[in-house]
Amino acid sequence: MRILTFLLFFISLAGQAQSAITGIVKDSETQEILPFATIYQQNGKSIIADLDGKFVLEHAKMHEIFTVAYIGYQQRSFKITPGRIFYSVALEAKPEQLNELVINNENPVIGIIKRAIRGRIINDPQQKLSSFSYKTYERLIVTANPDSINGTLDSIYSYEKAGRIFKKIDSTDYKFKKLLEKRHLYQTEKVSEFLYNREQGLKENVLATRMAGFKQPLYEIIGLKIQSYSVYRDKIDILETKYEGPLAFDALKEYHYKILDTVSIDNRDVYMIHFFPKKEKKKKKLEGVIYIDTKNYGIAKAVFRVKNVLDITSTHFFSYEKEKHLWFPDKKTLKIVKGNNKQDIKILGETIKFDAEGTGKRKRDTEPSDLVYVYSESSNFDKKFDIPVVIKRAGVAIDITSDAINRPESYWNRFRPDTLDDRSMTTYTVMDSIVAQENWEEIIIKGRRVINGYLPVGPFDIDLQKIIRYNNYEGFRVGAGFVTNNKFAETFRLSGYGAYGTKDGIFKYGMGAAVRVGNFSNSWIGVSYADDISEIASTSFATDKKTFKIYDPRLLNLLTFYNYQTYQAYIQTKIIPKSESFWQLSRSRIDPKFSYIYTPEDKSYRLFYLTTLTGAIQWNPFSDYMQTPNGRIETEKRFPKFAFQYTQSIANVLDSDLTFSKLDARAEFEKKYLNGQKTSGLVQAGVALGNTPLTHLYSTSPNNLDKDGILARITFAGKNGFETMYFNEFFSSQYMMGQLKHAFRKFTLSGKFKMAPVLVTRAAWGNMHDKNDHIGVDFKTMEKGYYESGVELNEIFSIVGISAFYRYGPYHLEQFDRNISVKISFVLNLF
């Protein structure tokens, strides 16, 4: 019994002798938080407090003394005493000058930052080194510390006149703690090889990737930019959001800087500098600490902190390469915890979700899910500098081969810095079972296709856009369409559709087949036939993605169509880097469904046959792409983007009647600002030469009904069309149009009513050669220039808003109200 008592006493002393203590650092007079203070321990180690002045000593020993230091303040030391686990550290201000560096009698920290900005060219590895390569092991977990959860069984009572009545036991905390003691909530791993040379840039080859529960990873998550690769760029990426970098060329306009300490990293002295934004009310706030070498002014470590809806800390560690006199990336970490959110937050789907605060839905001050966090850590190894580096497929920033998703456990153990613990191994086992049982993988695959407008049903994808539509010519267009998926065949596909118009009473249909001839380039050769109708004088690029629209507002108002019966053979490929191209040969019978006769060169055509060759290319030279076993994904969209298309119709080939040429071009621009606003632009032009019928000319997308009264013309707003231009009012054989939009940040009006205002201005110019050859249609041309401007007040209530535009300039109409267009707008964001 004495031995047992002694053991229990010894264990209790051991438990007290080494435990975690926490603290917070403040100004003794103002009680303001002192962020990133330095805490020194007796063992020679030191830690840094966070942005909120909080710190944790994980293995603090009783009677150990720790010292808290902060530049401009008196140091204070504390002895760890039994029973005390929290220390409030109040430091007294002590104004002092730094004499290490003074430049032109200015604040010494400003001189340090200026030298660091100028020194980017010799300290940024991508500017200093001609080439390098290294491998990275990265692990991401969604978890919580079991010790942070109470884990007790709570009793739930109801209060009635008779008093408090017991209802049931709340075991939420208890079950959650038991689950986290066994495993994490979620986990992923990745091994990559990074290659860089100055001519081709940086590329990531994914050697192995694994996501708990999924046989095939969610490639979109791999492509997310959760942290910046370089800390020297003008913009810093954190969780898909860009912030002004602390060493950007104009950083001194954005940030205040303060020296906190001088410390040692890799036996080199570095300045520890706190940066924080000058604009207190700035929505996207980034602050943190950068450690700058006192000799070469390179970054030895960087800590970035964003605290808003989410509390995110991104830390970059560097090691000093003596031979290259360079700080090179060594490790990165990212931690995401709950911030000051007022609504539900979801990360990685439903993996982590925080309950709303202040809504009355929360039962307790702290829910178990509030303690959940996301943690990512990547470690670099096998570094090589200034050696020949050959980059294959340089047009793809991230390359994932089919081998990467099927690596055995022995392969992973070669690259993991540490063997996975029992919690991590159990996570894989349990998640594999849960995902298989709940059929998550199949649900995600279906979700992807639904977003793109298709509903998977076995080996077929049903085209949701073909089910029902409406326009003024066909009335309700009811039909069905399909395309086969990889369950039918990996390298062969069939497609088809049929539709019936309730107003015109005519059945339309189409069918096609294609075979894949290139996997990496996603090249297909196919044939098709269609008997359908199309809007006259519409401009479309063959490379445009057929994005899913629940509704197409312009189609509702269309009146004038032509019937086409077209045989087509085509090649579709992405073999050209950062592009997608489409090449086709087609033979068509064109039958205008309106009163129209085309009379070129003293000939007369009510319907005509065309044999055309078309080449189209969509080129996004500044975007980043990821190659996966399933195809190519645009991971980061950058602007400008360009589209080109050339069409040549040849007479007397396959009974073709007309010879003409068409050249179309488009450029898209977009600039997102750090304050949440966005400016976008569009320039589009086309020219038709030769005997071109009205059906194949240009109308610059009008979207206004020719009715009297503003209210009578209220319909649905389009995306890039002219809202004040009436259908069939203008036609052109050559045209150019431009559009400029500026979207302000969405804000709340009151309650559920919000607003996302957008200012829009559009202009177009056009003319028509041989206008008298087009008989039966009365139209105007735009040699003097057409102008309209207006405002879109989007998402006033959910997805519904309103827009108003005004027509001015040479084609301003005498009746004032006919220059005004008011439309209902819909904005549906599926991503």
Side-chain angles (χ1 to χ4, degrees):
M1 186 67 181
R2 289 182 179 179
I3 295 176
L4 178 60
T5 304
F6 174 77
L7 289 174
L8 291 174
F9 177 71
F10 179 80
I11 291 171
S12 66
L13 285 178
Q16 292 181 356
Q18 189 168 343
S19 60
I21 68 167
T22 61
I24 189 169
V25 185
K26 297 181 179 181
D27 184 297
S28 62
E29 183 176 348
T30 65
Q31 294 300 303
E32 290 183 357
I33 296 297
L34 299 179
F36 305 112
T38 306
I39 295 87
Y40 297 97
Q41 297 176 265
Q42 282 184 308
N43 59 9
K45 295 182 179 180
S46 63
I47 65 169
I48 304 298
D50 65 13
L51 175 68
D52 304 312
K54 297 177 182 178
F55 63 89
V56 179
L57 297 177
E58 292 288 355
H59 302 290
K61 297 179 180 179
M62 289 303 156
H63 309 298
E64 178 186 359
I65 295 175
F66 67 91
T67 302
V68 181
Y70 199 81
I71 198 74
Y73 288 79
Q74 295 276 11
Q75 292 186 2
R76 284 193 65 183
S77 297
F78 294 82
K79 180 185 287 188
I80 298 173
T81 57
R84 186 176 179 184
I85 61 173
F86 179 78
Y87 292 79
S88 180
V89 179
L91 300 182
E92 293 184 3
K94 179 187 175 184
E96 59 185 25
Q97 296 287 332
L98 285 179
N99 298 317
E100 289 90 343
L101 180 64
V102 176
I103 300 178
N104 297 329
N105 295 319
E106 65 183 3
N107 187 339
V109 71
I110 301 301
I112 295 171
I113 296 301
K114 285 182 176 179
R115 287 197 175 188
I117 293 173
R118 290 196 300 268
R120 296 196 313 180
I121 193 170
I122 60 170
N123 290 313
D124 182 356
Q126 288 179 270
Q127 296 189 62
K128 182 172 184 176
L129 301 176
S130 61
S131 64
F132 59 78
S133 67
Y134 63 89
K135 293 183 176 67
T136 297
Y137 169 79
E138 182 177 346
R139 179 168 172 250
L140 182 147
I141 59 174
V142 182
T143 190
N145 183 359
D147 295 336
S148 65
I149 301 170
N150 188 359
T152 58
L153 297 174
D154 293 333
S155 298
I156 297 178
Y157 298 89
S158 65
Y159 293 86
E160 300 178 3
K161 292 182 179 180
R164 189 174 69 167
I165 300 175
F166 173 80
K167 287 292 185 182
K168 63 178 180 179
I169 296 292
D170 184 358
S171 60
T172 304
D173 287 5
Y174 176 79
K175 291 179 179 179
F176 194 55
K177 181 171 184 174
K178 290 298 180 184
L179 182 148
L180 287 167
E181 286 174 345
K182 296 178 181 178
R183 67 174 178 89
H184 303 296
L185 296 179
Y186 197 71
Q187 173 173 280
T188 71
E189 291 179 283
K190 184 177 70 168
V191 177
S192 296
E193 177 187 42
F194 285 86
L195 303 173
Y196 171 81
N197 66 48
R198 200 166 289 166
E199 292 74 26
Q200 296 173 293
L202 182 70
K203 179 171 182 177
E204 177 184 2
N205 291 320
V206 178
L207 305 178
T209 181
R210 186 179 185 183
M211 291 186 178
F214 292 91
K215 296 178 182 178
Q216 188 176 96
L218 304 179
Y219 296 115
E220 293 84 352
I221 293 178
I222 296 176
L224 292 178
K225 183 172 282 189
I226 62 173
Q227 292 186 89
S228 279
Y229 174 81
S230 173
V231 297
Y232 290 98
R233 295 292 180 263
D234 288 339
K235 298 292 185 294
I236 297 295
D237 291 287
I238 299 179
L239 207 64
E240 292 286 289
T241 302
K242 293 186 182 296
Y243 301 87
E244 194 76 22
L247 290 187
F249 281 114
D250 58 349
L252 290 169
K253 297 179 181 178
E254 297 290 330
Y255 294 109
H256 290 294
Y257 297 87
K258 180 179 181 181
I259 296 180
L260 301 180
D261 207 343
T262 303
V263 297
S264 178
I265 299 178
D266 275 7
N267 297 318
R268 292 179 67 87
D269 290 336
V270 298
Y271 298 113
M272 182 180 169
I273 298 176
H274 176 209
F275 69 92
F276 51 99
K278 289 184 176 180
K279 299 177 182 178
E280 291 295 328
K281 295 183 179 180
K282 194 170 185 178
K283 185 176 181 180
K284 292 186 178 181
K285 290 184 179 180
L286 176 71
E287 64 178 296
V289 174
I290 48 177
Y291 296 73
I292 296 181
D293 192 303
T294 59
K295 294 181 179 179
N296 68 4
Y297 297 93
I299 293 183
K301 183 180 176 182
V303 181
F304 303 127
R305 179 83 177 273
V306 176
K307 188 174 183 182
N308 199 344
V309 175
L310 293 173
D311 189 348
I312 309 170
T313 303
S314 171
T315 307
H316 296 249
F317 299 86
F318 298 80
S319 59
Y320 189 72
E321 305 294 336
K322 294 181 180 179
E323 293 184 359
K324 298 298 177 181
H325 305 289
L326 178 72
W327 290 94
F328 195 82
D330 191 57
K331 187 174 77 170
K332 286 192 296 188
T333 65
L334 181 80
K335 188 173 184 180
I336 308 169
V337 298
K338 178 188 172 183
N340 301 321
N341 59 300
K342 296 183 179 179
Q343 53 188 329
D344 288 350
I345 303 168
K346 299 175 184 178
I347 301 175
L348 303 178
E350 292 285 349
T351 304
I352 171 172
K353 179 177 178 178
F354 298 128
D355 293 326
E357 290 184 344
T359 61
K361 297 179 181 179
R362 300 173 61 87
K363 298 176 182 178
R364 295 166 290 187
D365 292 335
T366 302
E367 296 289 338
S369 62
D370 293 345
L371 303 173
V372 173
Y373 63 88
V374 178
Y375 181 76
S376 170
E377 181 174 334
S378 61
S379 301
N380 303 335
F381 58 95
D382 196 16
K383 304 171 186 176
K384 299 176 183 178
F385 309 112
D386 289 330
I387 60 171
V389 172
V390 178
I391 299 177
K392 298 179 180 179
R393 302 173 178 177
V396 177
I398 304 174
D399 204 340
I400 308 172
T401 64
S402 56
D403 294 340
I405 65 177
N406 297 308
R407 299 295 190 186
E409 195 66 25
S410 58
Y411 184 91
W412 285 101
N413 289 332
R414 288 166 47 194
F415 299 102
R416 289 172 179 146
D418 299 304
T419 304
L420 291 185
D421 57 17
D422 291 339
R423 287 179 74 196
S424 297
M425 295 304 296
T426 304
T427 303
Y428 278 126
T429 303
V430 173
M431 289 306 300
D432 287 348
S433 175
I434 292 175
V435 171
Q437 182 179 350
E438 300 293 334
N439 203 22
W440 287 1
E441 201 157 10
E442 188 67 24
I443 291 172
I444 290 172
I445 290 172
K446 287 184 177 180
R448 284 192 188 124
R449 291 176 180 165
V450 168
I451 288 175
N452 290 322
Y454 294 93
L455 176 65
V457 179
F460 300 96
D461 289 350
I462 306 302
D463 192 339
L464 299 176
Q465 294 191 96
K466 293 288 195 298
I467 295 175
I468 186 167
R469 301 176 87 167
Y470 180 86
N471 61 68
N472 285 322
Y473 178 79
E474 294 177 286
F476 284 100
R477 176 184 170 115
V478 183
F482 76 91
V483 60
T484 58
N485 55 42
N486 55 9
K487 289 184 178 180
F488 179 83
E490 291 280 352
T491 59
F492 182 72
R493 69 186 180 204
L494 297 173
S495 60
Y497 72 91
Y500 178 78
T502 58
K503 188 174 181 180
D504 68 346
I506 298 176
F507 182 75
K508 297 92 179 172
Y509 66 96
M511 62 191 74
V515 59
R516 188 171 68 188
V517 294
N519 189 17
F520 171 75
S521 62
N522 196 27
S523 299
W524 293 80
I525 296 178
V527 294
S528 66
Y529 174 78
D531 184 349
D532 208 335
I533 63 172
S534 178
E535 176 191 359
I536 69 167
S538 61
T539 302
S540 63
F541 291 80
T543 52
D544 286 348
K545 297 185 184 300
K546 307 300 188 289
T547 53
F548 177 39
K549 298 179 181 177
I550 294 178
Y551 76 102
D552 190 337
R554 290 193 68 255
L555 284 179
L556 299 176
N557 305 321
L558 293 182
L559 295 166
T560 316
F561 292 84
Y562 65 90
N563 168 251
Y564 63 90
Q565 298 172 11
T566 300
Y567 296 90
Q568 176 180 280
Y570 65 88
I571 299 175
Q572 183 180 6
T573 182
K574 296 181 181 179
I575 196 169
I576 303 173
K578 299 194 176 186
S579 74
E580 180 173 356
S581 60
F582 192 90
W583 313 86
Q584 70 176 16
L585 170 65
S586 63
R587 197 262 188 186
S588 304
R589 176 185 182 272
I590 306 298
D591 181 10
K593 295 300 178 181
F594 57 99
S595 179
Y596 175 67
I597 300 175
Y598 185 42
T599 60
E601 299 176 354
D602 298 325
K603 296 180 181 179
S604 178
Y605 298 96
R606 291 187 179 273
L607 62 85
F608 36 87
Y609 293 85
L610 299 176
T611 299
T612 57
L613 288 168
T614 300
I617 183 169
Q618 173 68 46
W619 183 42
N620 305 335
F622 304 104
S623 293
D624 281 344
Y625 289 86
M626 176 172 61
Q627 184 71 33
T628 77
N630 295 338
R632 195 172 302 174
I633 300 172
E634 189 178 7
T635 57
E636 184 165 3
K637 299 179 181 180
R638 298 195 186 102
F639 294 84
K641 296 183 175 185
F642 305 97
F644 304 95
Q645 183 166 282
Y646 179 76
T647 301
Q648 179 65 56
S649 176
I650 308 171
N652 302 319
V653 175
L654 299 177
D655 298 325
S656 177
D657 293 318
L658 302 171
T659 296
F660 62 84
S661 305
K662 288 183 65 178
L663 178 63
D664 299 289
R666 180 181 66 203
E668 298 173 85
F669 307 87
E670 183 177 290
K671 180 176 176 58
K672 293 182 178 180
Y673 302 95
L674 297 178
N675 60 7
Q677 300 184 48
K678 180 176 72 174
T679 300
S680 58
L682 171 68
V683 177
Q684 188 167 308
V687 56
L689 303 173
N691 297 328
T692 314
L694 191 67
T695 53
H696 288 62
L697 290 176
Y698 304 106
S699 65
T700 62
S701 298
N703 190 34
N704 206 9
L705 296 175
D706 192 2
K707 296 182 179 180
D708 292 329
I710 296 174
L711 297 180
R713 295 194 298 272
I714 292 180
T715 53
F716 298 99
K719 183 180 180 182
N720 296 320
F722 283 79
E723 301 295 341
T724 61
M725 186 184 294
Y726 296 96
F727 287 103
N728 301 336
E729 184 180 4
F730 295 93
F731 290 100
S732 306
S733 57
Q734 295 93 33
Y735 84 101
M736 177 178 288
M737 62 87 69
Q739 171 182 274
L740 187 65
K741 288 186 176 184
H742 183 81
F744 294 91
R745 191 171 63 241
K746 186 176 180 179
F747 61 91
T748 301
L749 291 173
S750 64
K752 295 182 178 180
F753 293 94
K754 300 182 179 181
M755 184 182 295
V758 181
L759 298 180
V760 185
T761 187
R762 298 186 179 101
W765 170 93
N767 69 357
M768 175 71 78
H769 289 306
D770 303 319
K771 180 179 178 180
N772 295 330
D773 290 346
H774 306 281
I775 299 173
V777 179
D778 184 22
F779 61 89
K780 295 181 287 186
T781 54
M782 298 186 297
E783 289 88 349
K784 297 178 181 179
Y786 185 97
Y787 306 95
E788 72 171 23
S789 296
V791 60
E792 298 174 357
L793 304 178
N794 297 322
E795 302 176 75
I796 296 177
F797 185 78
S798 186
I799 65 173
V800 182
I802 192 169
S803 69
F805 284 83
Y806 181 72
R807 169 174 172 167
Y808 57 94
Y811 298 102
H812 181 273
L813 301 175
E814 291 184 4
Q815 190 174 336
F816 178 76
D817 73 295
R818 289 185 62 82
N819 298 289
I820 299 173
S821 171
V822 177
K823 304 284 177 66
I824 299 170
S825 68
F826 284 86
V827 176
L828 180 61
N829 296 315
L830 295 175
F831 301 94

